[in-house]
Amino acid sequence: MININHPMMLTSGNNSSHPMSFILLGIPGLENSQFWVAFPFCAMYVAALAGNITLLHVIRTDPTLHEPMYLFLAMLAITDLVLSTSTQPKMLAILWFHDHEIEYHACLIQLFFIHAFSSVESGLLMAMALDRYVAICFPLHHSSILTPSVVGKLGAGVMMRGLLWVSPFCFMVSRMSFCPNRIIPQSYCEHMAVLKLVCADTRVNRAYGLFVAFSVVGFDIIVISVSYVIILRTVLGLPSGEARLKAFGTCASHICVILALYIPALFTFLTHRFGHHVPRVVHVMFAILYLLVPPMFNPIIYGVRTKQIRDRVIQGCWRKDSQLKA
């Protein structure tokens, strides 16, 4: 039973008021089966943790993997760990233990981490597309163009963009007055869901949200698309069929990861703003999968498609098996 009584409001120095906490419903429409629905979500979260930690360990311990592609992949693994861990423990607590309440500032922190690291993930996919572009179109100059210093600066730039672009979300929301209703009909706090509880004009907040979405995701998608158009033209111009197949193979895993991120993200974005007739349960399930599918599939896709990583994982498992038998 969800307790929604006593919505105590606190008043801050800027004459705004906010509740002490919010109520996260979990998955509306599946209240009677939420306990069982949590098990596949937990399995996906454990797979994301195990896969990304393994990926980080392999890249860190193998000097041959200290190249731009794998350094970006390590950054992506860290981002996936942060993104999934910022939402899944609380979601599982809601579904299994009916812990629906989340403190106001904890909600804003969760909102910040979700949006900031979603931006970082998108930026890293853009950087990885540029890496593939340089590797295929300028193979002899790849190591001199994408030096470790340049890779580090790209990663830092992507991180700073996420932090600086998303910080105003929390600042603007914290200065607004909330209505007595404190129910968020999903399993985590995100910008549009929190804005719906505000008793004030939110047009500036919504406009800024659209600006961030289009300036971050729009820019990244344009760069990724242009990079792959040039890559495709270059690959099709290769004289050898084997060389074309190898070049396509190096890009296949990256394209799969891009689709796994942007398809559920685009669905969630559009349903929040225009999908008023989309059933709430469908919207919430896609929102959860948006934060679970990429972290789970990224290490699997790259681990299977990348020979060096696959061989290192198999070698590590063989060594552990030999030690156990000994």
Side-chain angles (χ1 to χ4, degrees):
M1 187 70 179
I2 302 173
N3 179 21
I4 59 174
N5 297 321
H6 309 298
M8 186 176 293
M9 307 292 285
L10 298 179
T11 303
S12 59
N14 54 23
N15 294 324
S16 64
S17 60
H18 61 77
M20 292 182 64
S21 61
F22 295 108
I23 300 296
L24 297 169
L25 289 186
I27 308 176
L30 294 179
E31 289 82 1
N32 295 329
S33 55
Q34 285 188 152
F35 180 84
W36 302 108
V37 171
F39 283 97
F41 289 149
C42 180
M44 293 171 72
Y45 178 51
V46 171
L49 291 179
N52 285 291
I53 290 172
T54 300
L55 204 59
L56 285 171
H57 174 71
V58 169
I59 293 172
R60 184 183 68 85
T61 55
D62 190 343
T64 64
L65 299 180
H66 295 175
E67 298 176 0
M69 174 182 173
Y70 302 108
L71 295 178
F72 285 130
L73 187 54
M75 297 178 197
L76 189 67
I78 294 172
T79 303
D80 283 338
L81 287 172
V82 174
L83 200 55
S84 58
T85 303
S86 65
T87 57
Q88 296 315 304
K90 179 61 180 178
M91 188 192 74
L92 294 175
I94 293 169
L95 301 181
W96 276 337
F97 308 112
H98 307 291
D99 182 16
H100 294 271
E101 194 167 21
I102 183 170
E103 198 267 332
Y104 171 77
H105 292 99
C107 183
L108 292 187
I109 291 170
Q110 188 180 63
L111 182 156
F112 173 79
F113 272 87
I114 289 171
H115 292 289
F117 281 89
S118 293
S119 169
V120 171
E121 179 136 0
S122 178
L124 287 173
L125 293 181
M126 175 194 67
M128 294 171 79
L130 291 174
D131 170 64
R132 292 298 84 205
Y133 162 72
V134 175
I136 292 173
C137 298
F138 305 98
L140 298 179
H141 304 286
H142 181 241
S143 59
S144 61
I145 294 174
L146 286 175
T147 62
S149 173
V150 171
V151 171
K153 288 176 181 177
L154 279 172
V158 166
M159 173 66 75
M160 290 303 298
R161 184 189 67 170
L163 299 181
L164 293 176
W165 254 230
V166 173
S167 294
F169 282 156
C170 299
F171 177 74
M172 289 190 289
V173 168
S174 67
R175 297 179 64 83
M176 305 189 82
S177 296
F178 285 78
C179 302
N181 176 33
R182 58 192 184 118
I183 298 176
I184 299 176
Q186 54 190 56
S187 57
Y188 58 83
C189 296
E190 59 90 32
H191 185 237
M192 288 301 297
V194 173
L195 273 190
K196 290 177 181 178
L197 305 182
V198 170
C199 280
D201 187 353
T202 61
R203 283 179 295 182
V204 173
N205 303 66
R206 292 173 185 272
Y208 183 73
L210 286 171
F211 164 74
V212 170
F214 285 113
S215 64
V216 171
V217 178
F219 176 77
D220 293 347
I221 289 178
I222 289 172
V223 173
I224 291 170
S225 301
V226 171
S227 298
Y228 272 99
V229 167
I230 299 173
I231 288 171
L232 183 61
R233 290 177 58 186
T234 303
V235 170
L236 292 177
L238 294 175
S240 168
E242 184 179 349
R244 287 197 296 270
L245 188 62
K246 183 178 180 181
F248 277 126
T250 63
C251 299
S253 54
H254 188 228
I255 293 172
C256 292
V257 169
I258 290 171
L259 294 176
L261 174 69
Y262 285 125
I263 289 176
L266 183 62
F267 180 88
T268 302
F269 175 80
L270 292 175
T271 52
H272 252 313
R273 284 164 173 79
F274 312 111
H276 304 297
H277 301 294
V278 176
R280 172 61 60 178
V281 63
V282 175
H283 178 200
V284 173
M285 292 294 283
F286 262 88
I288 293 172
L289 293 175
Y290 160 58
L291 296 175
L292 262 181
V293 171
M296 181 187 71
F297 274 116
N298 289 353
I300 296 174
I301 292 170
Y302 280 109
V304 171
R305 294 291 307 178
T306 307
K307 184 178 184 299
Q308 294 96 317
I309 294 177
R310 186 173 66 246
D311 292 347
R312 286 283 286 119
V313 172
I314 293 172
Q315 185 182 24
C317 293
W318 181 82
R319 284 179 179 174
K320 288 184 179 179
D321 185 58
S322 299
Q323 290 173 355
L324 289 173
K325 289 180 178 179

